[in-house]
Amino acid sequence: MKTISIISFMALCLACSAPSPVSELTDWNMKQEGSSSVYSVKAPCTVAGALNEAGYFGENVLEGLRYKDIDKSVFDRPWVFTTKFGVEKGKRHVLRFESLGYSADIVLNGKTLATADTTVGPFCVREFDITGMAKASNTLKVTVHKAPAQSLNHGWVDWNPRPVDETMGILGPVRLISTPDVEVKDVFVKPIVNVNDFSEARIDVEITLVNLLDKPVEGVVKASAEDICFEMPVKLEASETKVLRHTETVKNPRIWWSAEMGSPELYHMTVSFGDSHSKNVRFGIRDISSELTPDGHRQFILNGKKVLVKSAGWADDIFMQDTPESILRQVQMVKDMGLNNIRFENVWGKDDTVYDVCDSLGILTLMGFSCQWEWESYCGLPETRRNGCIEGEPWESMAVRYFHDQLIRLRNHASLIGWLTGSDRAPLPQLEERYMELYNALEYRPYVCSASGVKSPVTGPSGMKMAGPYEYVGPDYWFIDTRRGGAYGFNTETNPGMNIPQKENVERLLGGEKAWPIGPAWDYHCTASSSHMNNTKIEEAAVAGTYGEADSFEDFVKKAHALDYDSTRSMYEAFRCNIGKATGIVNWMLSSAWPSLYWQLYDWYGVPTAGYYGVKHACAPVQLIFNYGDRSVYAVNDAAPKATYSAEITFLGADSRKLIGKTVSFLSEERKPVRLEKLPAGVPGFLSLVLRDAAGNVSARNFYCIPAKNGEYAWDKADWWGIPMTGYADLSFVSALPKADVTLETTPVDGGISVKLTNNSEVVSFQNILKAFGADGKLIGGPVWEDNFISLLPGESRTVLCTAPGAEIKLDSWN
């Protein structure tokens, strides 16, 4: 995968950043109220994040059992952030706070701008005209207070332990806006596309101006975006806010597509009021809509083409210490896997970086509020009428304010395809009516009342389902289940349980605690749920039932990798095989907020799990997959052009001897799976699938260990967390493989290291794990491997690229 340097990334996002009349206040001093200890910090940040950066908690506090020993009482008292800045004489000046957590007293030059009781809530944007009190040199003091037990705060729910400071701090940029008279407060570009004719499109532009003077002002608003140019004379009365509207026709527009379907083309528009003030925005010209299928499932449509949403759920770092570099790397990994969407359950990010990167790389996004606010055990508010915890005042008005400010903040992002105002539940009707009044005025994208399968009396059915599972099920489950989380409809949250990191990083997260036998540190780094997913017992049972009892740390990890690879891959493959009946799948989750053993396609250190590479194979543009439901090989194609391919199907018995070897030619068409071959019933073995294009080039590969029969499930005991397994698919023949002779050759090449693996044996070599170590002796994170967890047929060679020049390459083999 071609990567983008952080320098070029910043360049491509430049038009989204603050224009020249705006400066961001990033350098602050931080101290606990009443303390003499002062920390120099960069904002935005949380208090705990800044303290962690300063080494206050000691080394590697998130590893082992150390996090539970942090003294949380230090966050019971307020923390004070102080900075200094200058202003230009003769101008109007506005301070803009994008996010404060959870509330704050704001004092400028000793004068109070706001008190904590008026600044409650981290998703509110707040502005203060400071012209009358600003001086050549100014001191700004922001005293932040921790969220109380009852709050609508940032939330990681049960995904990980709660932040020790409850995410208190300056959570978004603090900006100084200066202008002689008028602020260009907001620019919104709404695209209107005729999906049957891309030769012409329309954009509706809304420009919000604020006259900061106490007298009328006249001037000219100018807007430009490549060949799109217009201007409008305007008169503003004293202190008036005015919204200007303009419609422009765009000839031969560059259409924004997701990376899966085309090129994510973006436009940059600058809007200025004379020489006073300007604002830059970035937008895409594209059409997004949704419909309910005849079966009642939500189907998203991009530029007239139906999209099978292949997604995973994002989580910010627990200390909110993600950087532009780490965010870019993570979204690159999403693209590398072939996923086309990220679900944001919570308005994540200290700024818009992650959404800007999704715009640039062509990754669709789904935005929504967190189920943190739907359960009393997390937000402290009582649950009401199965609609969550937002009822009555001040909570309903706070949520509406949140929705208003975040709609305006995010609505120019081309990647955003819809909003979900509920997660596990739908909002109360009276609250949703207020939401919709805003949504109809400010937005145009599809609106969905909930990520779960509910019907709202206000907006109708969600068309979604949230039926799990969240614990281990076999790779067959996704094909055979027709009642819960299987491959039909739009499943917004599901995952086969543990996605264990590579062994080096399991040892890191255990923080020196005993790795074997499994002990309390393992359980602590599962989820924080009080009822399920909080220990390794289900995974241990699955390992023993599928591959045989693990007899060491290394043995358990490699068998857990194999479970992860197969079941996570199969989840996406089943939805692709059932495209049309299946409309979307969200792996829960994409990332972890802290070093974790659960719910992640790459670990907290940024290193891919086995499931990552399973997903990468599952989501290849055109791919050959094994359907566990009918024991057949299918070719799938979600969005690639029609073309002829050949499938090389090789099936070896459990003893590595060939039973089937054939090549099948076929025509691959978009959204039309093709059944190519049925394997014999009751015969275990190894299945190798190689896809070649018309020129004979390898387009994709897949490899499976096929059991004689599928697993068994206690369907009558299914619960929200999953389905108990009463019998496992027997893959003990994989554990019984003789030792294989695999050689590794490395060659430096442009862009990295070419690595060749050769199986010199007469038996299958299963799941060879390639590892790239940096100078610090740690695994290198990011999308550095073209492929990994590689299985080889007898006598087979594979060459893959590692995009980490100078890395030390090592190999771990199953057998």
Side-chain angles (χ1 to χ4, degrees), residues 44-45 171-173 316 320-323 348-352 409:
C45 66
L171 307 182
D316 272 3
M320 287 197 164
Q321 290 187 296
D322 289 309
T323 64
W348 290 116
K350 295 179 290 189
D351 55 27
D352 277 16
R409 169 191 169 190

Side-chain angles (χ1 to χ4, degrees), residues 31-42:
K31 56 176 288 188
Q32 187 183 42
E33 191 172 69
S35 171
S36 59
S37 298
V38 179
Y39 304 89
S40 296
V41 304
K42 293 283 186 181

Side-chain angles (χ1 to χ4, degrees), residues 626 631 651-654 659 679-686 706-709 733:
F626 177 70
R631 290 184 69 88
F651 184 53
L652 280 60
L659 301 178
L679 297 191
V683 180
F686 302 98
I706 307 298
K709 66 175 186 176
F733 66 89

Side-chain angles (χ1 to χ4, degrees), residues 431-670:
L431 175 60
E432 191 174 24
E433 287 173 352
R434 295 177 68 182
Y435 282 161
M436 291 311 298
E437 184 178 354
L438 285 174
Y439 204 79
N440 292 332
L442 299 174
E443 256 289 5
Y444 64 94
R445 295 167 175 85
Y447 168 91
V448 184
C449 66
S450 177
S452 61
V454 300
K455 184 177 181 179
S456 161
V458 178
T459 57
S462 69
M464 304 297 209
K465 68 174 184 178
M466 187 186 289
Y470 299 89
E471 280 282 24
Y472 181 76
V473 289
D476 49 20
Y477 168 84
W478 313 101
F479 289 96
I480 63 179
D481 172 55
T482 59
R483 292 180 290 176
R484 298 186 64 81
Y488 68 94
F490 196 124
N491 194 343
T492 60
E493 291 186 14
T494 191
N495 178 279
M498 286 182 70
N499 306 111
I500 193 168
Q502 296 188 38
K503 66 179 184 182
E504 294 82 358
N505 284 358
V506 174
E507 291 175 323
R508 285 181 72 181
L509 73 80
L510 291 175
E513 299 290 327
K514 194 173 182 181
W516 191 260
I518 289 173
W522 285 76
D523 293 348
Y524 185 56
H525 286 272
C526 293
T527 81
S529 171
S530 60
S531 58
H532 297 88
M533 298 91 65
N534 53 21
N535 60 65
T536 63
K537 295 189 184 305
I538 287 179
E539 186 80 357
E540 292 178 67
V543 163
T546 306
Y547 294 104
E549 196 86 36
D551 58 16
S552 67
F553 167 70
E554 289 78 12
D555 192 41
F556 178 79
V557 170
K558 77 176 185 181
K559 289 174 177 175
H561 283 328
L563 293 178
D564 177 14
Y565 188 105
D566 283 353
S567 198
T568 306
R569 171 181 61 178
S570 180
M571 180 174 65
Y572 287 97
E573 290 181 336
F575 275 72
R576 295 190 72 184
C577 199
N578 285 357
I579 195 168
K581 185 178 179 181
T583 59
I585 173 70
V586 183
N587 184 68
W588 205 250
M589 301 178 67
L590 171 67
S591 54
S592 291
W594 81 316
S596 178
L597 299 168
Y598 259 79
W599 299 346
Q600 56 195 353
L601 292 175
Y602 48 86
D603 65 23
W604 183 76
Y605 305 102
V607 177
T609 61
Y612 177 103
Y613 295 101
V615 172
K616 185 170 181 175
H617 280 271
C619 295
V622 182
Q623 182 59 294
L624 304 173
I625 68 171
F626 177 70
N627 182 329
Y628 287 83
D630 62 11
R631 290 184 69 88
S632 295
V633 175
Y634 284 78
V636 294
N637 174 359
D638 301 346
K642 181 167 66 174
T644 299
Y645 292 87
S646 62
E648 296 175 1
I649 303 171
T650 305
F651 184 53
L652 280 60
D655 59 1
S656 296
R657 295 189 180 186
K658 185 183 292 186
L659 301 178
I660 297 174
K662 64 192 304 183
T663 300
V664 180
S665 295
F666 65 96
L667 179 66
S668 174
E669 297 182 79
E670 184 179 331

